Amino acid sequence: MSHSLLSALVAAPRGALPSVRAALLLPRRLSSSSSSASTGSSGTGSGSGHKKHESGVLCEVDGNGIAVITFNNPTKLNALTEELGNEFFSHITALRERKDVRCAILTGAGAAFSAGGDLAFLQARTVDKPLHNAEVMRQFYNRFLV
């Protein structure tokens, strides 16, 4: 993604870009590794245009330090699952460690950014004890509140 494209994304009127929903600023850590080092299994390794395809999250970093993270389950309207949350958290963690990444754009594949929590997961929570359920749900949503 070029710098001019990022400028266009920022300047676009509301509703003009339905698939782009949020931009995340990723603070750099002083102890981060070299930008040429691979970041491990999260798929956010160095190099322009690097993509990682896993079950529900795609991550691409261009040569300008702009990461695009895409929730990639359009058939379920990118519903939030534990697996998607774990992948998302891994990508964000890896991106924070990279010196070359300046920002990230969070988007969703298909017609929706995300429908919210996966209904099958949420329905299964109704049979649990309230105190345990509260902890499970807190852990679930904390994956997305990075």
Side-chain angles (χ1 to χ4, degrees), residues 89-125:
F89 186 80
S90 292
H91 285 297
I92 292 297
T93 301
L95 289 171
R96 282 184 172 158
E97 296 300 321
R98 290 183 55 165
K99 290 182 179 182
D100 63 323
V101 175
R102 300 179 306 142
C103 72
I105 298 170
L106 177 59
T107 186
F113 166 65
S114 177
D118 180 70
L119 293 179
F121 171 74
L122 296 174
Q123 181 66 33
R125 301 302 333 134

Side-chain angles (χ1 to χ4, degrees), residues 10-99:
V10 172
R14 186 177 184 101
L17 301 165
S19 65
V20 175
R21 303 290 189 237
L24 305 170
L25 296 179
L26 300 170
R28 293 191 181 121
R29 302 194 190 250
L30 295 175
S31 63
S32 62
S33 60
S34 168
S35 64
S36 62
S38 174
T39 58
S41 64
S42 69
T44 52
S46 65
S48 178
H50 179 83
K51 289 186 181 183
K52 177 73 173 186
H53 297 270
E54 291 192 1
S55 62
V57 181
L58 306 176
C59 185
E60 178 180 352
V61 178
D62 74 6
N64 294 314
I66 301 167
V68 177
I69 303 168
T70 305
F71 290 160
N72 190 36
N73 190 358
T75 59
K76 286 194 154 198
L77 299 176
N78 302 310
L80 306 178
T81 64
E82 288 180 282
E83 296 81 17
L84 186 135
N86 290 337
E87 288 179 43
F88 176 68
F89 186 80
S90 292
H91 285 297
I92 292 297
T93 301
L95 289 171
R96 282 184 172 158
E97 296 300 321
R98 290 183 55 165
K99 290 182 179 182

Side-chain angles (χ1 to χ4, degrees), residues 122-136:
L122 296 174
Q123 181 66 33
R125 301 302 333 134
T126 63
V127 299
D128 206 349
K129 294 180 181 178
L131 286 175
H132 184 254
N133 190 42
E135 182 58 29
V136 169

